[in-house]
């Protein structure tokens, strides 16, 4: 047993362990390895864990990783911000490289990042890596710990946490070592509005916006993003931007969890609560309880850009209550609202499969939760509206004083104009980040020839508006309106 444990530790050190002098040069009792190329770990990893995600799972995962690896290469995001950590590590690596340290240079070349948390946590770290403009940005693997887990699911890491015990973590590390690199598009989002004055939205300084959308500090009066008398916010996302009833349910869930965190201690409980809120918020009975003034076509004018410099109006069906701008083939718990358009759709509507690195967002509409049920059927999909490089939403004075928006799982309540002002949300392609993916992941690259083989395209033409009947005979769909397999339906009333 002792020999087996010793062999395990030797393997972990050989493959994943980063010596302290690279990570924390000022740490006491630092040990410097001999800088020989064959001593460099096969797959050196930096691990970031949101200890508050997944109920108790985050804390357990943190303890297991710190038991296996150097404690200085495992970080609790509740205590240390990823930007300061990465800046410190990479500055130290640069100093070591300038002194001729080949061990540090090789470690940087092979570096990989693991982030454990919800989609918001993963997006936070992706944004930091993008913003730091590292000369050799490390690819990133995501451990599912949240409620939706769309990012890890799209790249093959699953919907549920793979386990926090020693064997599960070792198995995950081996998967990371054997993973392939993929590029993924990132998207810039800009929102401009007048400072909210209060009212029904109860804004907080001035809004309770997600991490990925932060105040933009004007650099000069001539900057084209600055508009006198308005607040401009900008940020980025990697999976989706959505607006409407799905974001409303998400906002209700996040508000409830914030007020009563003790009630949300594991993924199953969280998903059950999400389902109940989908019912109480009226998502299943939208035609009866949801005012038509809050339907997407009544709330906003939508413009899209398919070719550089050419804006065109996008016609939204009047029945659509939720609109999703999707980068990955995974939304609200792993479903693919876009599907795979058949040859006729590709020919006559210029629609393509959902590649994660083609510089296009898929724009999909839903009428209500029942419409979402078609995603459970083979080849089911939402109402395909468009694919675009840029999308612009313009909100003018109307019957509604607010709507709900969501970026990568993080929702907020957005005030809408009360007079002749305009609230503008504009999304444009920003760049790409490097992800780690399993060999059989759902995400597909436009540069991979095998991705263009049409295995699962829609074989039968159908009217999106009439394709709900089959879905109505099932119960469940996306996270917003999906019952987890483990939940007893009879106990949900």
């Amino acid at each position: 047993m002792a020999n087996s444990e010793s062999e395990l530790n030797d393997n972990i050190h050989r493959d994943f362990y980063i010596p302290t002098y690279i990570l924390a040069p000022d740490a006491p009792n630092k040990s410097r390895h001999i800088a020989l190329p064959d001593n460099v770990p096969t797959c050196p990893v930096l691990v970031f864990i949101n200890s508050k995600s997944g109920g108790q799972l985050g804390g357990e995962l943190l303890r297991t990783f710190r038991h296996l690896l150097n404690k200085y290469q495992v970080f609790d995001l509740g205590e240390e911000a990823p930007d300061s950590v990465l800046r410190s590590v990479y500055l130290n690596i640069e100093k070591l490289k300038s002194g001729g340290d080949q061990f540090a240079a090789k470690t940087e070349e092979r570096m990989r990042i693991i982030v454990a948390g919800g989609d918001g946590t993963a997006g936070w770290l992706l944004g930091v890596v993008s913003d730091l403009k590292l000369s050799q940005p490390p690819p990133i693997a995501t451990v599912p710990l949240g409620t939706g887990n769309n990012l890890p699911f799209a790249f093959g890491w699953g919907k549920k946490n793979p386990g926090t015990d020693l064997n599960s973590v070792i198995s995950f590390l081996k998967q990371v070592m054997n993973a392939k690199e993929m590029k993924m598009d990132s998207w810039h989002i800009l929102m401009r509005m007048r400072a909210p004055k209060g009212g029904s939205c109860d804004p907080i300084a001035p809004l309770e916006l997600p991490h990925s959308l932060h105040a933009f500090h004007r650099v000069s009066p001539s900057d084209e993003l600055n508009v006198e008398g308005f607040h401009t916010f900008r940020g980025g996302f990697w999976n989706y931007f959505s607006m409407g009833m799905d974001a409303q349910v998400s906002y209700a869930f996040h508000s409830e969890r914030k007020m009563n965190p003790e009630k949300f201690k594991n993924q199953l409980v969280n998903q059950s609560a999400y389902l109940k809120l989908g019912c109480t918020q009226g998502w299943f009975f939208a035609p009866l309880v949801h005012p038509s003034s809050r339907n997407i076509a009544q709330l906003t004018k939508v413009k899209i850009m398919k070719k550089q410099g050419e804006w065109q109006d996008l016609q939204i069906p009047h029945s659509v209550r939720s609109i999703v701008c999707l980068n990955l083939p995974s939304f609200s718990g792993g479903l693919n609202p876009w599907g795979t358009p058949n040859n006729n759709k590709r020919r006559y509507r210029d629609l393509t499969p959902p590649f994660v690195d083609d510089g296009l967002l898929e724009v999909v509409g839903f009428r209500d939760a029942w419409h979402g049920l078609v995603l459970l059927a083979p080849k089911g999909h939402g109402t395909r509206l468009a694919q675009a490089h840029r999308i612009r939403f313009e909100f003018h004075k109307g019957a509604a004083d607010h709507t709900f928006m969501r970026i990568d799982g993080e929702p907020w309540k957005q005030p809408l104009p009360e007079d002749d002002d305009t609230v503008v949300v504009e999304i444009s392609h920003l760049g790409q980040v490097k992800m780690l993916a399993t060999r059989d992941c759902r995400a597909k690259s436009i540069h991979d020839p095998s991705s263009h083989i049409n295995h699962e395209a829609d074989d039968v033409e159908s009217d999106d508006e009439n394709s709900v009947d089959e879905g109505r005979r099932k119960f469940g769909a996306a996270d917003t309106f999906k019952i987890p397999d483990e939940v007893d339906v009879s106990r949900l009333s």
Side-chain angles (χ1 to χ4, degrees), residues 73-302:
Q73 70 186 100
V74 182
F75 307 93
D76 182 352
L77 289 170
E79 298 176 355
E80 298 179 272
D83 50 346
S84 59
V85 168
L86 289 173
R87 189 178 291 110
S88 173
V89 169
Y90 276 86
L91 280 175
N92 189 50
I93 288 176
E94 287 301 318
K95 290 178 182 177
L96 294 170
K97 285 164 54 180
S98 64
D101 190 326
Q102 291 301 307
F103 189 99
K106 291 289 186 182
T107 298
E108 181 186 32
E109 288 177 12
R110 301 178 185 181
M111 189 82 78
R112 296 187 165 196
I113 285 179
I114 296 172
V115 55
D119 286 331
T121 301
W124 182 22
L125 201 103
L126 286 167
V128 167
V129 171
S130 298
D131 288 344
L132 288 179
K133 308 293 183 186
L134 302 171
S135 59
Q136 298 185 68
I140 298 169
T142 54
V143 182
L145 270 185
T147 304
N149 300 317
N150 294 295
L151 270 164
F153 183 69
F155 290 94
W157 303 109
K159 294 182 183 180
K160 298 179 181 178
N161 182 261
T164 61
D165 60 282
L166 203 65
N167 290 333
S168 297
V169 170
I170 291 172
S171 176
F172 186 85
L173 283 169
K174 290 178 179 177
Q175 280 187 288
V176 169
M177 185 165 61
N178 295 320
K180 64 179 180 180
E181 288 190 22
M182 288 185 69
K183 293 283 185 70
M184 177 179 70
D185 290 325
S186 61
W187 296 87
H188 178 267
I189 181 167
L190 178 145
M191 182 173 69
R192 179 179 293 121
M193 64 177 188
R194 286 200 183 276
K197 300 174 183 177
S200 62
C201 292
D202 297 323
I204 301 174
L207 285 169
E208 200 168 2
L209 296 172
H211 286 297
S212 52
L213 196 61
H214 51 272
F216 171 65
H217 300 288
R218 291 190 283 267
V219 291
S220 72
S222 60
D223 192 306
E224 63 177 7
L225 294 180
N226 297 326
V227 176
E228 187 67 30
F230 284 76
H231 287 303
T232 301
F233 301 85
R234 66 186 300 188
F237 68 91
W238 289 264
N239 190 1
Y240 66 87
F241 166 82
S242 72
M243 178 179 64
M245 282 209 73
D246 75 293
Q248 177 180 333
V249 175
S250 179
Y251 181 82
F253 170 80
H254 279 254
S255 299
E256 181 72 18
R257 183 168 61 177
K258 188 173 182 179
M259 289 187 293
N260 302 288
E262 71 282 355
K263 295 181 180 180
F264 299 85
K265 292 188 175 180
N266 64 60
Q267 288 174 301
L268 180 58
V269 169
N270 292 354
Q271 290 165 348
S272 301
Y274 219 129
L275 171 70
K276 292 179 182 179
L277 285 168
C279 294
T280 59
Q281 291 287 312
W283 191 205
F284 279 96
F285 316 104
L288 299 176
V289 302
H290 188 264
S292 61
S293 60
R294 292 188 184 177
N295 290 5
I296 301 301
Q298 282 74 25
L299 281 176
T300 180
K301 293 181 180 179
V302 185

Side-chain angles (χ1 to χ4, degrees), residues 399-424:
D401 63 356
H402 69 274
T403 187
F404 296 88
M405 299 180 181
R406 183 162 60 140
I407 297 177
D408 287 356
E410 295 189 90
W412 74 97
K413 194 174 185 178
Q414 175 60 44
L416 296 180
E418 298 177 356
D419 43 37
D420 294 332
D421 293 333
T422 302
V423 171
V424 174

